[in-house]
Amino acid sequence: LYPVLEKAGDHTLLISDTALGTLVDVCEACGYESVQRLINDNSDYLVNGIALSLRQLEHRAHAAQVLDTMLRHSDASLLPLVEDVIQDVLSTLDQSYSNQASVFLGVLHSVMTALVQWFGSSDQEHREGSAAERQSGALCQEPQVVTGQEVERFFLDYIKQKQMAEGDLPDTGGEADEDPPLAKLEPNSSDPEGETPLPSHAQLAKDVMERYVHLLSDGSLRVRLKVLDVLELCVTVLHPHRNHLLPMAHRVWPALVTRLISDDPLAVLRAFKVLCTLAQSCGDFLRQRFSKDVLPKLTSSLLSQAPASARAGPVYSHTLAFKLQLVVLQGLGSLCEKLDMGE
């Protein structure tokens, strides 16, 4: 099964299609109802093979293909089994960023894509459902009486978010003296975010995001593009956990700004998409940073491109400059709306 899964992850379409056909034949011959069931029932053997192969430099690319195929054809029940392997990948990446980054980037991209597929949609539906409930509740119910304690908590939270947005991350020594009312209110708070540990998939996304912050400035354009793709997926998985996402956004911001204002157009294009996803998740947390660090550069770039695009022929629509201009123009309005930049 291991070598067949390896071929199913091959980049040559003919090989991967034939291998997938072979997997279907194996399912029929051995009495499995689906490829997913075949992989899940034999996952302990497969994970053991992947773990052993990852320790040998020459077999890492093949192990990555097997893991990629397993993730694409399985479900969330596979996560506890592959979690240790993913932690091995992260620790190995820590020791060999220079020469093995591209192999491990592919593995972690597959992992994050699977996490978004398994957990992202349910989080999205939950958010949309709760938003709809709040809206219908606001329309149908009588106005609720707001207590003094709730007002106090709202303003303390607001001050805390404002400090984080301005880059003033909380200092544990000073904060205990500064916000005693917040500490008093914490036990009665209905928000469990600060108390309960992160679910395993969100913790995994956070671990990956922490490793990738400095890879954003890698010398290889291909690596930078892949890192931006993975970061976008990490943000999507961490979306419901703002207490963990906002400090990570603070760490990623300087490197992301560099990609947005002084990089290859392809990287700028990808970085802008990451920015839009971050804005959707972080909201007004990024408002001041965006208006100071990014917006002036984007507007000056659009103004400088305007004369060229105004007199351009039909060929212009196939250029990278056109695509970048189009993405920025399409995304800027909703981006400003998400960041609450009404002023």
Side-chain angles (χ1 to χ4, degrees):
L1 186 57
Y2 187 96
V4 175
L5 284 173
E6 184 192 312
K7 296 303 177 192
D10 199 282
H11 298 300
T12 307
L13 188 62
L14 182 60
I15 295 173
S16 60
D17 275 0
T18 310
L20 287 171
T22 306
L23 282 175
V24 173
D25 292 342
V26 172
C27 287
E28 288 177 9
C30 299
Y32 290 100
E33 56 199 48
S34 65
V35 173
Q36 180 180 315
R37 188 63 186 270
L38 172 70
I39 290 170
N40 285 2
D41 284 5
N42 296 282
S43 53
D44 48 351
Y45 301 108
L46 293 167
V47 167
N48 185 50
I50 292 168
L52 291 171
S53 298
L54 283 172
R55 291 172 196 160
Q56 302 170 42
L57 196 63
E58 66 275 14
H59 294 306
R60 280 176 186 168
H62 303 304
Q65 287 179 353
V66 177
L67 186 60
D68 180 40
T69 309
M70 286 177 69
L71 291 166
R72 277 192 288 114
H73 293 91
S74 191
D75 57 9
S77 63
L78 187 69
L79 182 60
L81 285 164
V82 298
E83 212 167 347
D84 288 342
V85 170
I86 296 162
Q87 289 299 338
D88 285 348
V89 169
L90 289 173
S91 58
T92 312
L93 183 60
D94 286 341
Q95 297 159 16
S96 56
Y97 276 109
S98 53
N99 54 358
Q100 287 293 305
S102 56
V103 173
F104 291 128
L105 279 168
V107 174
L108 295 172
H109 186 269
S110 303
V111 170
M112 296 316 303
T113 305
L115 292 184
V116 169
Q117 188 183 335
W118 296 340
F119 302 101
S121 57
S122 59
D123 286 338
Q124 186 72 30
E125 284 162 17
H126 174 71
R127 287 194 301 275
E128 287 171 1
S130 59
E133 282 167 22
R134 285 197 299 273
Q135 194 173 5
S136 62
L139 291 171
C140 303
Q141 293 173 8
E142 293 293 320
Q144 292 183 344
V145 178
V146 180
T147 65
Q149 199 179 42
E150 286 171 342
V151 172
E152 185 182 14
R153 177 160 185 82
F154 169 79
F155 279 106
L156 287 169
D157 280 345
Y158 174 76
I159 290 164
K160 194 175 176 184
Q161 296 281 352
K162 193 169 187 297
Q163 284 174 339
M164 286 174 74
E166 289 168 357
D168 182 13
L169 285 174
D171 181 22
T172 48
E175 199 185 354
D177 304 325
E178 201 177 312
D179 293 333
L182 188 61
K184 286 177 193 170
L185 285 172
E186 203 65 50
N188 300 324
S189 167
S190 60
D191 180 18
E193 199 66 38
E195 298 165 16
T196 54
L198 273 174
S200 58
H201 66 277
Q203 184 60 52
L204 208 53
K206 188 182 175 187
D207 290 344
V208 171
M209 205 167 174
E210 281 174 348
R211 302 300 203 293
Y212 276 25
V213 171
H214 69 280
L215 273 177
L216 272 173
S217 52
D218 191 271
S220 163
L221 173 63
R222 190 168 167 229
V223 169
R224 293 200 302 275
L225 292 175
K226 187 68 88 170
V227 167
L228 286 165
D229 282 344
V230 174
L231 281 178
E232 188 177 3
L233 295 167
C234 290
V235 171
T236 307
V237 174
L238 279 172
H239 184 111
H241 311 282
R242 276 175 65 88
N243 285 6
H244 297 273
L245 177 60
L246 296 186
M248 290 309 303
H250 171 74
R251 284 183 59 189
V252 166
W253 185 254
L256 185 63
V257 169
T258 308
R259 303 285 70 78
L260 278 164
I261 61 178
S262 58
D263 205 333
D264 187 277
L266 268 174
V268 176
L269 198 65
R270 211 71 67 89
F272 188 76
K273 289 178 181 174
V274 176
L275 175 64
C276 292
T277 307
L278 258 182
Q280 193 172 357
S281 304
C282 300
D284 56 5
F285 173 77
L286 295 177
R287 184 197 304 143
Q288 189 173 348
R289 297 163 192 248
F290 174 74
S291 57
K292 187 175 81 172
D293 299 337
V294 180
L295 190 57
K297 299 283 185 183
L298 286 180
T299 47
S300 64
S301 170
L302 288 171
L303 288 169
S304 65
Q305 285 180 2
S309 60
R311 57 173 184 272
V315 179
Y316 181 68
S317 63
H318 297 286
T319 63
L320 199 55
F322 168 84
K323 289 172 185 173
L324 183 57
Q325 197 177 2
L326 181 65
V327 166
V328 172
L329 286 169
Q330 284 176 333
L332 209 50
S334 60
L335 191 60
C336 292
E337 200 173 28
K338 286 166 194 165
L339 297 177
D340 196 19
M341 293 178 69
E343 73 277 8

